[in-house]
Amino acid sequence: MKLLVCGGAGFIGSNFVRLRVRDHGDEVVVLDKLTYAGRRENLADVEHVFVHGAIEDRDKVAEAIEGCEAVVNFAAETHVDRSIAEPDAFVTTHAVGTYVLLEAAREAGVRYLQVSTDEVYGSIAEGSFTEGSPLAPSSPYSATKTGADLLVASYFHTYGLETLICRGSNNYGPYQYPEKLIPLMILNAMHADPLPVYGDGQQVRNWLYVEDFGRGIGHVLAHGRPGEVYNVGGPDECPNLEVVERIIALTGADRELLTYVTDRPGHDRRYSLASEKVRALGWEAQVHFAEGLEQTVAWYRDNPEWWGPIRSGDYRAYYERQYGSQLG
Ligand code: NAD
Ligand code: DAU
C-alpha cells in the first residue's frame, strides 16, 4: 500500500511509519511541518519519501498525496500544557489543517484515518468510555482535537468520504519528546534533576505502548467500517505518582528528587477507554506497562545522541517557562 502519513516525523507517527515499512512493506510518504516535536532523525533508519510542509498548506498536501491510497493523519500540536499557554497553533493545525487534508482526500477519493485521543471524552471517575460516550473535552488541546473529529465525521455523512477515527489512550515508548510525563521523568531521573509531579499525583492514565497503538491503527485502516470511531486503549492504568516511583526504581534515582508542583489548570483526573470494538477487528495490546516501561527506560539510556541535542536546545527555554521557579 502507498500511504500518506501526516505528522510522521513525530513520536507516534515515526513509530507507525517504521512498523508499516518493516512489517507490511508499505511505501510511505511523510508530510511534516517539523515543529519542535518533529524530527527527521526519528526516521533515519526507515525508507520513506519526505515532504516538508504543513497540513494546512494546500499545495504541499496536493504534492504529498499524489498516488497515495490512504491518508493517516497524526499531525497535531500534542502537549496539553502548551495548549494552555499558547492555543493558537492548536486551532490552526487541528481545525484548518484537518479541513485541508479532508478536502484533498475527497478530491483524490482515498480513505482517510484521523488519529485522535481519549481526551475528547474528558475525565471519567469510574468505568471506561465507549465510542458512544459524550464528548466533553477540557483543554484547548482536546477541544480542538474534538473539533477535528467532528469535521471528519461530517465528511463521511455529507460527502461519503471513507473516514475512520482512532482514539488512543496515553502512549509511551521510544522517540517521545521529553516534555511528556514518561520521557521527562526518565531523563530527569538519569540526570538527578527534580521530578515535577502535578498536584497530588493521583491522576490516572491508561498507558499504551506506542507499537500497540500503531498496530491498532493498522487494523482499523485495513478492517474498520467507514464512518466509525474506534477506541484503542492500553492494557494498564496507573496513577502518575506510581509511574514516577517505577521510573525511580528502574533508573536507581534518589526518591528525594520527587517534587510536588502546582497542578495543571483543568487537569483531567482519569482517562479510561473500552476497546472492545477494535478487539473485534482482531487487535490486542501486546505490551504490558511493566515490560514497556522497562524497555522505554533502556531506550533512553541507550540513545543519548537522540535526546542530547533536544535537552540542550530550545527545550530548555520551554522547561524554564513551565517549571522554572518551582524547581529551584
Ligand atoms: P508529536 O508532538 O510527537 O508529533 C506531532 C508531529 O506532527 C510532529 O512531527 C510535528 O512536526 C507534526 N506537525 C505538527 N503540526 C503540523 C502541521 N500543521 N502540519 C504538519 N505536521 C505538523 O505527537 P504524538 O504524540 O506523536 O501524537 C501524534 C498524534 O496522536 C496526534 O494527533 C495526537 O493528538 C494523537 N495522540 C497522541 C497520544 C499520546 O499519548 N502522545 C495519545 C493519543 C493520541
Ligand atoms: O490521553 C492521551 C493524551 O496523552 C494525548 O492526546 C496527548 O497528546 C498526550 O500528550 C497525553 O496527554 P497527557 O496530558 O495525559 O500527557 P502528559 O505526559 O503531559 O501528562 C501525563 C500526566 O502526567 C498528566 O496527568 C499530567 C502529569 N504530569 C505531566 C508532566 C509533563 C506531571 O505530573 N508532571 C509533569 O511534569
Side-chain angles (χ1 to χ4, degrees):
M1 211 178 183
K2 184 171 175 187
L3 292 177
L4 170 57
V5 179
C6 304
F11 160 51
I12 308 176
S14 62
N15 279 286
F16 177 75
V17 172
R18 186 169 292 101
L19 199 70
R20 297 303 304 192
V21 172
R22 188 189 65 199
D23 296 356
H24 297 263
D26 285 342
E27 230 182 291
V28 175
V29 178
V30 171
L31 172 65
D32 200 295
K33 185 178 165 186
L34 297 179
T35 65
Y36 72 94
R39 297 165 62 79
R40 293 292 312 266
E41 297 89 317
N42 294 357
L43 290 167
D45 60 333
V46 193
E47 196 178 325
H48 65 287
V49 171
F50 187 77
V51 179
H52 184 198
I55 55 168
E56 58 272 21
D57 181 335
R58 285 166 199 266
D59 295 339
K60 286 290 180 187
V61 170
E63 176 191 336
I65 204 170
E66 185 69 44
C68 292
E69 295 155 84
V71 177
V72 181
N73 181 29
F74 292 91
E77 292 289 339
T78 60
H79 194 34
V80 173
D81 293 323
R82 289 188 193 248
S83 85
I84 293 167
E86 285 179 85
D88 254 54
F90 290 75
V91 177
T92 308
T93 295
H94 302 171
V96 184
T98 304
Y99 159 68
V100 170
L101 282 182
L102 285 165
E103 277 296 310
R106 182 158 84 99
E107 166 96 24
V110 298
R111 188 168 265 224
Y112 179 95
L113 189 149
Q114 177 77 357
V115 180
S116 184
T117 168
D118 57 4
E119 298 203 13
V120 299
Y121 301 116
S123 192
I124 189 165
E126 281 172 17
S128 302
F129 289 120
T130 67
E131 291 81 356
S133 297
L135 302 177
S138 314
S139 69
Y141 163 69
S142 51
T144 50
K145 287 293 288 184
T146 306
D149 281 12
L150 295 178
L151 196 59
V152 171
S154 82
Y155 269 64
F156 171 74
H157 292 294
T158 310
Y159 305 113
L161 180 68
E162 283 198 17
T163 62
L164 296 155
I165 298 176
C166 278
R167 295 189 177 135
S169 61
N170 277 66
N171 278 229
Y172 68 105
Y175 301 100
Q176 187 169 30
Y177 193 82
E179 64 187 356
K180 305 284 172 73
L181 179 75
I182 288 183
L184 180 133
M185 294 297 174
I186 294 173
L187 293 183
N188 281 19
M190 281 167 52
H191 290 84
D193 285 342
L195 306 172
V197 173
Y198 295 168
D200 62 3
Q202 292 309 316
Q203 303 82 6
V204 174
R205 295 293 182 262
N206 185 186
W207 293 101
L208 175 64
Y209 194 65
V210 65
E211 284 199 2
D212 276 335
F213 192 29
R215 280 188 278 267
I217 291 168
H219 265 78
V220 171
L221 187 64
H223 309 297
R225 238 184 57 212
E228 296 285 315
V229 175
Y230 294 86
N231 288 345
V232 183
D236 303 297
E237 292 186 8
C238 192
N240 293 339
L241 191 59
E242 191 186 321
V243 173
V244 179
E245 278 165 349
R246 283 174 183 242
I247 291 171
I248 289 173
L250 286 166
T251 54
D254 187 343
R255 204 179 182 283
E256 293 291 301
L257 294 171
L258 224 153
T259 309
Y260 289 94
V261 298
T262 310
D263 208 350
R264 170 185 283 173
H267 199 168
D268 286 334
R269 197 73 180 160
R270 175 173 174 265
Y271 299 136
S272 180
L273 285 180
S275 306
E276 276 70 25
K277 212 169 146 180
V278 69
R279 279 207 192 93
L281 299 181
W283 173 84
E284 200 64 59
Q286 292 176 14
V287 182
H288 276 284
F289 191 50
E291 179 197 347
L293 190 61
E294 204 175 324
Q295 284 175 20
T296 305
V297 169
W299 188 86
Y300 282 90
R301 193 190 296 124
D302 295 344
N303 288 280
E305 73 291 345
W306 184 85
W307 50 257
I310 297 179
R311 266 195 132 229
S312 56
D314 291 349
Y315 174 72
R316 291 251 55 99
Y318 161 77
Y319 192 86
E320 285 303 317
R321 277 200 309 279
Q322 181 67 17
Y323 303 100
S325 59
Q326 293 199 67
L327 298 184

